[in-house]
Amino acid sequence: MSALSISNLKLDIHGHTVLHDIDLTLDPGKILGVVGESGSGKSMTALSVMQLLPRGSNWSGEIRVGGVSLSGLDEKALCQMRGRDVGMIFQEPMTALNPVHTIGDQVAETVRVHTGVSRREALAVARDMLNRVGLPEDRFPLDRYPHDLSGGQRQRVVIAQAIALRPKLLIADEPTTALDVTTQAQILDLLTGLVREEDMGLMLITHDLAVVAGLADTIAIMKQGEVVEAGPTREIFREMRHPYTRALFSASAHVPDRGRKPEPSAVPVLSVDNVVRDYQQPRRNLFVKRPPFRAVDRVGFEIHHGENVGLVGESGCGKSTLARAILALDALQGGEIRLNGHVVSSAGEGPHPELRARMQVVFQDPYGSFNPRHRVRRLVTEPFHLIKSPPTGKELDRRIDRALTEVGLSFSDADKYIHEFSGGQRQRIAIARALIIEPALIVLDEAVSALDVSIRAQILDLLAELSDRLDLSYLFISHDLSVVRAITDRVLVMKDGRIVEEGETENLFRNPQHPYTQALVAATPSLQAALAAPAE
Amino acid sequence: MTAYLLRRFLSLSLSLVAASLVIFLVMEVVPGDPASFMLGINADPGALAALRLQMGLDEPLPLRYITWVAGLLQGDFGVSYTYRVPVSELISERVMISLPLTLYALALSTLIAFPAGIIAAARRNSAADLSVMGATQLGVAIPNFWFAMILVLIFAINLRWFSAGGFPGWDAGFGPALKALTLPAIALALPQASILARVMRSSLIDTLDEDFMRTARAKGLSRSQALWRHALRNALIPVLTIIGLQFSFLLAGGIIIENVFYLPGLGRLVFQAITQRDLIVVRSVVILLVFAVIVVTFLVDLAYAAADPRLRRQRR
């Protein structure tokens, strides 16, 4: 009997068709990878199985969990099914737990809701489960609160509550997308181990082919509410029958063409010299002041004309703090930052506005980084505030036209509002906003991390082409090593506020020297490696 | 937790000192000579000199402040100029009405607002939600003295269940005293309940959309189980803030209602003191209210900490 079988699943939300004729099966002890870009319907498929669909949803077809058809069940029976027969893990571990309850109570709740055992017995089960997911008692007592834990640890608690009653089916919706690569590798290991040992079926939903490549027994590729191709992982990877599958693969492994290798110039575009960033910590009490926290510790490096430099490291390593310091958004506590040989900012010295204007930034979130009440014209011309005599009239229009054309949009887009654009187009507008002032350096802070792979490939191509043509330099900050590998010439690896290794990109990835770099590279799921692995 | 309490307590004490200084300076220094202010422009020079002596206005400023604070600490608020009795007696009489009235109104307001807000949030856009929203809109818009007069008309004049005003005193027994406070408490509570119900509703609706609510449902909790166990406590913080503010407002803000019901409360006392230019009473009531507000803020802080463990955490 299969853990999950879905046939002819159709779903409408407020009359709008979201899923067409989905067919999927998953056997106990196996992993089904569901892969697709945003809007493909992969999360809605999962929520259909949980029967936690948004209001106004209307579904038809058949969903069987462990042989039991869901269509005959009333709400009470569905509540009994959720958590007991099907467990679910969500993408965002930081918000998936209730902040006001202890982790013990939250895991125990799954047990208490379904079995009616005493609180003590339920807490004993919770203890076992937390041990099982790698949160031992001495470091993670039951009375800890979620805010005491890191993202990876919280995700382990979410897993513990999902598996507390050993359900036949586990659904994981992007369980590692919000986590660092090394944490991702640990969580994926944990999930795989649970599936094999407890004989659960795991439906693993992800946008990242590389994640499922090494794990899943079968794969379903979804696009716009349909399963376009499904089958055993190796077969799908070998044959790639459907054009969309091929497109997804090539976009995932996309390496943009770089026209030429940048030559080291006499004066680097950016020179970061012994930079220190300290954070004041809150006082322990009224009388004891605490030493400041050193987020960036004597960091120094250079970026040359037309060079793309990557900065990688896990969350909390100081890479975003360093980016803010370079952009003179925060004052330095030591060292100095020079652009084309001129000091932009140094310890105790504010930023020089005209020089500062020549460094621009593109942030991660294409939705949050624009004021929704301004037109594109006003949004892209924001950097002109930094210079003394900004262009006006015809000249301003010409600059807007050029910046928008440069990123593949047109001048007619200047009078639209930001909500009229897709995520990929918004990121193009963010790049246009950076380009309009003809900068020497653009800091790209996780600039492609929120984009679907096909859009990401286009933006990477655009960035590579702009760098070649305009002799632009990039500081490319990302937690995604495969993207950094695709676009940068040189890489800096940051850990605990220091640069622990730097080198030419290919060299560094092939032959990492520092143990931390080695761990990062080893933890990164690789599509190539999964494809090249011999058939079992 | 202890550190949190100590920190809060310390900041509470500092606020009190700061508030007493501000009140002292505003009352004593800014409007010129308090004695001539109290007696008016055509005052008899002899009476003026006597009052100045009584108020100790010939002493240097810092000494006057210290004497005043030392008096406050011993419960000596001075003697009222108009009533010729110790201010502490005046105030304690009035507090015995205003404080119970405030607590009564606050309890009613909470009892009405919580169920209304919860039902409205849980059944969003339903008929129940729309009625709650409509009723609270009216409750916020209509002034409370109008409610008070309607209540008097219906329950005192037509039905004769309650008396139309006055207060028999606590000596008359708990029941009759409480009964006399019932109509004023309802009149005070209705607008506050409307505000509170709206805050409860919107805070709960925000919480119901949180990720952890979906997690709770995925564990097998029913919609209402998830609401009671997971949403309510998280939604409480803004509600507690409003309750704290309402307490401070009701304690002295009930003056119109006190007038409608002929209740000798704090609001009426301070109003009369202001019209009679009795600065001694005014500043005593003001410092008392400040003290009450600060204590309530402290209690609300404690309630926050009880509701949300993140606030209990000792900062590392």
Side-chain angles (χ1 to χ4, degrees):
Chain A
M1 186 170 48
S2 49
L4 171 69
S5 81
I6 299 176
S7 51
N8 290 320
L9 171 63
K10 284 195 197 71
L11 173 67
D12 294 348
I13 300 178
H14 293 298
H16 178 78
T17 306
V18 178
L19 298 175
H20 319 258
D21 291 320
I22 303 288
D23 291 294
L24 290 172
T25 52
L26 170 60
D27 290 327
K30 299 284 181 195
I31 299 175
L32 164 67
V34 179
V35 186
E37 299 190 293
S38 40
S40 63
K42 51 195 197 302
S43 291
M44 280 302 155
T45 309
L47 292 177
S48 302
V49 178
M50 293 304 283
Q51 288 291 299
L52 287 177
L53 290 162
R55 279 178 196 201
S57 303
N58 193 4
W59 67 281
S60 63
E62 185 156 71
I63 303 173
R64 285 177 178 274
V65 172
V68 179
S69 169
L70 298 191
S71 40
L73 301 182
D74 59 4
E75 179 57 28
K76 198 170 162 229
L78 286 171
C79 279
Q80 282 167 4
M81 176 206 78
R82 294 182 202 118
R84 189 190 63 194
D85 303 330
V86 194
M88 185 155 179
I89 302 160
F90 302 95
Q91 171 169 355
E92 199 34 85
M94 300 313 271
T95 53
L97 292 169
N98 189 335
V100 305
H101 292 302
T102 62
I103 57 172
D105 279 335
Q106 296 196 54
V107 177
E109 189 174 36
T110 310
V111 182
R112 298 185 70 190
V113 166
H114 292 285
T115 60
V117 299
S118 73
R119 177 157 185 264
R120 248 183 63 191
E121 289 169 82
L123 283 174
V125 177
R127 185 65 267 161
D128 281 351
M129 283 302 146
L130 288 171
N131 293 345
R132 181 80 184 75
V133 298
L135 300 175
E137 183 161 17
D138 52 335
R139 285 176 54 220
F140 302 95
L142 292 174
D143 58 4
R144 283 290 189 94
Y145 285 95
H147 65 250
D148 296 323
L149 310 183
S150 71
Q153 290 160 352
R154 291 185 203 195
Q155 197 63 306
R156 287 172 192 268
V157 176
V158 175
I159 294 174
Q161 40 177 332
I163 62 161
L165 292 172
R166 300 174 200 274
K168 301 172 207 109
L169 172 64
L170 193 57
I171 301 176
D173 190 356
E174 305 267 10
T176 59
T177 307
L179 303 175
D180 285 322
V181 278
T182 48
T183 319
Q184 161 167 296
Q186 290 161 8
I187 296 288
L188 290 176
D189 262 359
L190 171 65
L191 285 175
T192 326
L194 287 170
V195 166
R196 306 295 185 220
E197 285 155 38
E198 313 279 346
D199 216 28
M200 289 178 209
L202 171 64
M203 178 173 170
L204 180 62
I205 296 171
T206 178
H207 67 287
D208 188 349
L209 271 174
V211 164
V212 288
L215 303 180
D217 302 290
T218 52
I219 283 188
I221 299 205
M222 291 188 69
K223 184 196 180 191
Q224 289 168 6
E226 280 178 88
V227 174
V228 295
E229 191 166 3
T233 307
R234 299 220 56 83
E235 210 176 291
I236 299 257
F237 276 35
R238 200 169 49 236
E239 295 175 10
M240 296 192 213
R241 267 173 255 147
H242 196 279
Y244 181 71
T245 312
R246 283 197 292 279
L248 205 56
F249 269 93
S250 75
S252 300
H254 185 73
V255 177
D257 277 337
R258 296 292 308 281
R260 50 181 185 76
K261 282 271 166 223
E263 307 264 319
S265 38
V267 181
V269 171
L270 177 77
S271 134
V272 173
D273 192 11
N274 248 330
V275 162
V276 172
R277 264 298 284 133
D278 289 336
Y279 280 112
Q280 207 60 53
Q281 301 198 80
R283 286 166 173 273
R284 205 181 298 279
N285 62 47
L286 192 66
F287 308 105
V288 183
K289 213 175 149 179
R290 285 193 304 172
F293 173 73
R294 185 147 289 192
V296 174
D297 190 6
R298 285 164 290 157
V299 165
F301 64 91
E302 291 177 344
I303 299 179
H304 294 274
H305 282 281
E307 194 180 29
N308 296 353
V309 174
L311 178 62
V312 298
E314 297 190 291
S315 44
C317 73
K319 55 190 195 300
S320 288
T321 309
L322 177 58
R324 289 182 61 85
I326 290 171
L327 292 163
L329 296 174
D330 297 323
L332 304 180
Q333 278 71 51
E336 63 179 24
I337 287 158
R338 286 189 299 274
L339 196 72
N340 290 324
H342 306 286
V343 177
V344 184
S345 61
S346 58
E349 195 96 2
H352 186 294
E354 295 270 328
L355 283 171
R356 166 63 185 77
R358 306 224 46 216
M359 296 190 287
Q360 290 297 320
V361 62
V362 177
F363 291 109
Q364 170 171 5
D365 186 357
Y367 295 89
S369 53
F370 291 103
N371 186 332
R373 287 181 186 81
H374 293 172
R375 290 175 198 276
V376 168
R377 166 186 296 279
R378 178 154 173 201
L379 294 172
V380 297
T381 52
E382 271 168 353
F384 286 139
H385 288 302
L386 288 164
I387 56 178
K388 277 202 199 96
S389 46
T392 50
K394 281 250 157 55
E395 170 63 8
L396 183 65
D397 280 350
R398 200 185 60 76
R399 294 282 285 271
I400 295 171
D401 182 16
R402 200 171 69 193
L404 289 175
T405 317
E406 214 100 70
V407 298
L409 298 169
S410 74
F411 186 61
S412 60
D413 293 322
D415 289 314
K416 292 183 185 163
Y417 287 99
I418 200 71
H419 67 257
E420 298 173 57
F421 297 92
S422 68
Q425 286 171 322
R426 286 175 200 217
Q427 219 51 341
R428 284 173 192 268
I429 293 169
I431 296 169
R433 170 166 66 181
L435 282 179
I436 198 161
I437 202 158
E438 292 162 0
L441 173 78
I442 299 183
V443 176
L444 300 156
D445 191 354
E446 302 278 3
V448 296
S449 304
L451 303 176
D452 279 326
V453 282
S454 55
I455 310 293
R456 188 177 76 188
Q458 292 166 16
I459 298 287
L460 288 177
D461 277 341
L462 171 70
L463 288 172
E465 189 254 336
L466 289 172
S467 165
D468 284 347
R469 192 154 51 83
L470 306 174
D471 208 24
L472 264 177
S473 306
Y474 298 138
L475 178 62
F476 195 97
I477 301 171
S478 184
H479 70 284
D480 186 341
L481 271 68
S482 58
V483 174
V484 170
R485 190 170 186 172
I487 191 167
T488 63
D489 307 304
R490 208 147 52 81
V491 180
L492 313 166
V493 182
M494 197 164 178
K495 181 178 192 284
D496 299 336
R498 289 165 173 245
I499 306 275
V500 295
E501 186 168 357
E502 74 171 286
E504 202 234 319
T505 303
E506 258 326 287
N507 227 341
L508 186 134
F509 277 99
R510 287 234 172 94
N511 194 11
Q513 297 301 313
H514 193 277
Y516 179 69
T517 318
Q518 290 168 351
L520 277 186
V521 172
T524 305
S526 159
L527 203 51
Q528 279 80 6
L531 284 172
E536 280 157 27
Chain B
M1 187 68 188
T2 328
Y4 174 82
L5 286 181
L6 272 175
R7 243 192 342 264
R8 299 305 318 167
F9 190 73
L10 203 69
S11 85
L12 178 143
S13 316
L14 286 176
S15 331
L16 263 181
V17 172
S20 68
L21 257 177
V22 169
I23 292 167
F24 176 77
L25 288 177
V26 168
M27 293 286 184
E28 298 274 323
V29 179
V30 178
D33 183 9
S36 57
F37 175 78
M38 284 165 72
L39 293 181
I41 345 172
N42 302 321
D44 168 51
L48 196 62
L51 183 62
R52 289 183 61 87
L53 193 68
Q54 188 206 331
M55 291 179 75
L57 292 182
D58 299 323
E59 312 270 0
L61 209 57
L63 191 67
R64 267 156 61 198
Y65 174 70
I66 291 169
T67 319
W68 178 55
V69 172
L72 287 184
L73 290 177
Q74 294 162 15
D76 176 11
F77 289 72
V79 176
S80 160
Y81 180 72
T82 41
Y83 294 93
R84 304 281 173 191
V85 289
V87 176
S88 50
E89 275 177 30
L90 270 180
I91 289 181
S92 59
E93 251 168 47
R94 306 302 182 102
V95 165
M96 287 308 286
I97 294 174
S98 282
L99 190 64
L101 179 61
T102 300
L103 292 176
Y104 196 176
L106 213 56
L108 283 178
S109 147
T110 313
L111 282 175
I112 299 168
F114 270 54
I118 292 170
I119 290 170
R123 310 202 179 141
R124 206 171 156 189
N125 296 331
S126 69
D129 183 18
L130 293 177
S131 344
V132 167
M133 289 308 281
T136 54
Q137 183 72 61
L138 277 177
V140 174
I142 295 174
N144 57 8
F145 63 82
W146 190 81
F147 274 134
M149 293 187 307
I150 298 291
L151 288 173
V152 169
L153 267 178
I154 297 175
F155 294 102
I157 296 175
N158 286 340
L159 296 174
R160 297 183 177 277
W161 291 355
F162 297 92
S163 66
F167 185 66
W170 292 99
D171 301 333
F174 184 73
L178 203 66
K179 196 174 163 193
L181 292 181
T182 299
L183 288 186
I186 294 174
L188 281 174
L190 284 178
Q192 305 303 326
S194 304
I195 297 169
L196 204 58
R198 289 183 152 241
V199 174
M200 181 86 227
R201 174 183 179 271
S202 67
S203 170
L204 198 52
I205 282 175
D206 286 347
T207 313
L208 289 173
D209 284 340
E210 294 273 357
D211 279 357
F212 61 77
M213 294 305 293
R214 191 183 51 186
T215 311
R217 296 276 284 141
K219 281 199 272 188
L221 273 71
S222 69
R223 206 177 283 281
S224 68
Q225 278 174 322
L227 185 141
W228 287 105
R229 292 191 200 177
H230 289 276
L232 212 51
R233 216 168 118 188
N234 278 286
L236 223 49
I237 293 272
V239 177
L240 290 173
T241 311
I242 301 294
I243 291 180
L245 291 174
Q246 292 190 339
F247 178 86
S248 322
F249 169 76
L250 288 173
L251 196 56
I255 175 165
I256 296 175
I257 296 298
E258 285 172 10
N259 269 325
V260 172
F261 290 97
Y262 300 105
L263 294 175
L266 265 187
R268 284 183 96 193
L269 176 68
V270 78
F271 181 71
Q272 285 159 354
I274 290 169
T275 47
Q276 290 159 353
R277 304 189 167 191
D278 191 342
L279 284 189
I280 301 173
V281 171
V282 173
R283 90 181 164 189
S284 305
V285 176
V286 171
I287 189 85
L288 193 79
L289 290 177
V290 168
F291 180 72
V293 168
I294 288 175
V295 169
V296 168
T297 312
F298 180 65
L299 292 176
V300 169
D301 279 341
L302 292 188
Y304 284 168
D308 192 339
R310 282 169 295 187
L311 296 170
R312 263 176 264 159
R313 166 171 53 173
Q314 288 219 20
R315 294 194 186 168
R316 269 180 289 269

